[in-house]
Amino acid sequence: KDQIGTYLAIENIGILFESELKLDLRSVLNQYSKNQCLIIKTDSAIENDILYFIDSTDGVSVNLQGLSYKQI
């Protein structure tokens, strides 16, 4: 049986998109995925290495270019 080792799972990533938190979401994703598997459960759209909060029309996104990820 395959194992993924240490991991962090996020189900409600929407909270991280809140502008009031003033997070650099790309840095957060990069930091938390360095030494562990980061799993994000979301219905958000990913197009051309851009993760949108909901879809490309909402104007809220994070660039995933250069980050290693798989969309399942």
Side-chain angles (χ1 to χ4, degrees), residues 34-46:
K34 279 194 189 281
N35 297 315
Q36 63 187 349
C37 178
L38 177 61
I39 300 168
I40 301 171
K41 180 183 177 196
T42 183
D43 292 328
S44 301
I46 298 177

Side-chain angles (χ1 to χ4, degrees), residues 9-63:
I10 301 172
E11 186 169 352
N12 183 6
I13 194 169
I15 192 76
L16 299 178
F17 281 100
E18 290 291 334
S19 61
E20 292 82 16
L21 294 176
K22 299 182 190 245
L23 292 175
D24 178 353
L25 186 50
R26 179 181 165 76
S27 292
V28 170
L29 297 177
N30 188 36
Q31 184 64 35
Y32 280 95
S33 65
K34 279 194 189 281
N35 297 315
Q36 63 187 349
C37 178
L38 177 61
I39 300 168
I40 301 171
K41 180 183 177 196
T42 183
D43 292 328
S44 301
I46 298 177
E47 299 173 10
N48 299 319
D49 291 333
I50 305 292
L51 171 65
Y52 295 96
F53 173 53
I54 297 179
D55 61 42
S56 60
T57 63
D58 62 29
V60 181
S61 64
V62 61
N63 189 331

